[in-house]
């Protein structure tokens, strides 16, 4: 078994259903259609719940074969591979639901929580919503700095009890900026909040705490596939495009 595959098994912590249900309450208005991407979707339970609540098509990426099969029965489409091998246009998704493995990356020694955050922002539409689930103590200066540079309207909460006791996880929401811009004040505030104690994810978020998803513009050129050529997909493209 490769280290990446073993990491996927050892570092896989699905979002508790209670927490997922509370997350769905943070959007008060969504467009009639849209897409959600979960780059480490597991069995697809969380992505399915959020996508249904927000009227979105759910797309997933999962490196573990058994979990990918389970997710395929729940989501619009699932790719069984490493997220780095995915081909899809930039800015194609209105929601990025990100609960990455909790481990160290094989290539550069960085935490996978940060690696996934850094590498997947390109797929989120400007104005789109990030839902980021990580252990609270993993929010370090580099992660907080990246979040504040790439996202705005950032809010962070800890898991509810008793779910918080096991892994002490946080849910961080943010809206993707049109252009990255450094924001040291927001970065420092987020870091301090994560170190000193976050508020509990509320059962009834206020209107000020909630988000509105951006409008969806269907693009016939959208695709979601592996970087390697799939003969069936190549044939379909040749038939449709010549």
């Amino acid at each position: 078994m490769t280290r990446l595959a073993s990491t996927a098994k050892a570092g896989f912590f699905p979002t508790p259903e209670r927490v997922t249900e509370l997350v769905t309450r943070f959007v008060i208005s969504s467009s009639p259609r849209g897409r959600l991407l979960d780059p480490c979707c597991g069995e697809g339970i969380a992505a399915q719940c959020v996508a249904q609540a927000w009227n979105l098509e759910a797309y997933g990426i999962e490196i573990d074969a058994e979990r990918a099969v389970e997710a395929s029965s729940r989501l619009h489409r699932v790719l069984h591979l490493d997220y780095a091998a995915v081909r899809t246009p930039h800015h194609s998704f209105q929601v990025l639901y990100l609960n990455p493995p909790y481990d160290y990356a094989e290539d550069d020694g960085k935490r996978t929580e940060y690696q996934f955050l850094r590498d997947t922002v390109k797929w989120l539409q400007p104005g789109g919503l990030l839902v980021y689930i990580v252990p609270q103590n993993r929010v370090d200066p580099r992660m907080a700095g990246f979040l504040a540079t790439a996202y705005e309207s950032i809010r962070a909460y800890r898991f509810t009890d008793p779910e918080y006791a096991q892994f002490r996880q946080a849910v961080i929401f943010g809206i993707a900026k049109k252009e990255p811009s450094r924001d040291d004040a927001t970065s420092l505030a987020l870091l301090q909040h994560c170190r000193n104690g976050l508020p509990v994810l509320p059962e009834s978020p206020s209107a000020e705490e909630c988000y509105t998803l951006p409008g969806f513009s269907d693009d016939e050129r959208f695709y979601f596939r592996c970087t390697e050529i799939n003969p069936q997909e190549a044939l379909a493209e040749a038939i449709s495009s010549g």
Side-chain angles (χ1 to χ4, degrees):
M1 179 185 296
T2 66
R3 188 182 191 285
L4 187 57
S6 64
T7 294
K9 289 182 178 294
F12 174 64
F13 302 104
T15 311
E17 292 185 17
R18 166 67 173 160
V19 173
T20 305
E21 198 275 328
L22 293 178
V23 165
T24 65
R25 303 180 187 183
F26 276 79
V27 166
I28 55 176
S29 177
S30 60
S31 62
R33 290 184 59 203
R35 302 187 189 101
L36 174 148
L37 175 63
D38 185 341
C40 27
C41 66
E43 296 176 346
I45 297 173
Q48 180 189 43
C49 176
V50 174
Q52 287 180 345
W54 297 346
N55 195 33
L56 305 171
E57 289 182 350
Y59 292 76
I61 304 166
E62 176 53 49
I63 197 169
D64 180 79
E66 293 181 4
R67 293 198 297 261
V69 170
E70 286 288 326
S72 296
S73 67
R74 296 186 173 98
L75 308 185
H76 185 74
R77 183 156 189 206
V78 174
L79 297 179
H80 167 221
L81 40 71
D82 176 5
Y83 78 98
V86 170
R87 294 176 61 199
T88 194
H90 290 191
H91 314 313
S92 295
F93 297 87
Q94 285 65 52
V95 174
L96 176 61
Y97 184 90
L98 185 56
N99 182 12
Y102 305 156
D103 202 346
Y104 285 95
E106 183 177 20
D107 54 351
D108 57 10
K110 294 184 174 67
R111 294 289 305 185
T112 49
E113 298 95 332
Y114 176 79
Q115 185 183 53
F116 271 79
L117 177 68
R118 177 196 64 196
D119 295 346
T120 58
V121 64
K122 62 187 177 186
W123 292 323
L124 185 60
Q125 173 183 328
L129 177 63
L130 168 73
V131 181
Y132 185 42
I133 298 176
V134 290
Q136 186 173 324
N137 65 355
R138 292 302 175 192
V139 181
D140 59 14
R142 178 179 56 183
M143 182 184 291
F146 185 92
L147 283 164
T149 297
Y151 295 93
E152 56 192 357
S153 300
I154 295 173
R155 298 185 183 92
Y157 306 87
R158 72 168 179 86
F159 273 21
T160 51
D161 296 316
E163 292 85 0
Y164 181 70
Q166 187 172 12
F167 299 113
R168 304 180 71 82
Q169 288 154 295
V171 182
I172 301 174
F173 298 93
I175 296 294
K177 295 179 180 179
K178 291 183 179 179
E179 295 291 340
S181 59
R182 184 168 172 171
D183 185 343
D184 291 337
T186 297
S187 173
L188 180 60
L190 175 61
L191 187 62
Q192 290 177 337
H193 288 323
C194 288
R195 287 179 173 175
N196 298 332
L198 292 172
V200 178
L201 191 68
E203 292 194 9
S204 300
S206 66
E208 292 76 18
E209 292 176 292
C210 291
Y211 296 89
T212 299
L213 298 186
F216 173 72
S217 178
D218 196 8
D219 187 346
E220 295 181 356
R221 297 170 297 176
F222 174 76
Y223 52 86
F224 186 69
R225 56 179 179 255
C226 178
T227 52
E228 298 179 359
I229 295 176
N230 181 299
Q232 292 182 337
E233 290 183 349
L235 177 60
E237 283 194 15
I239 293 173
S240 63
S241 304

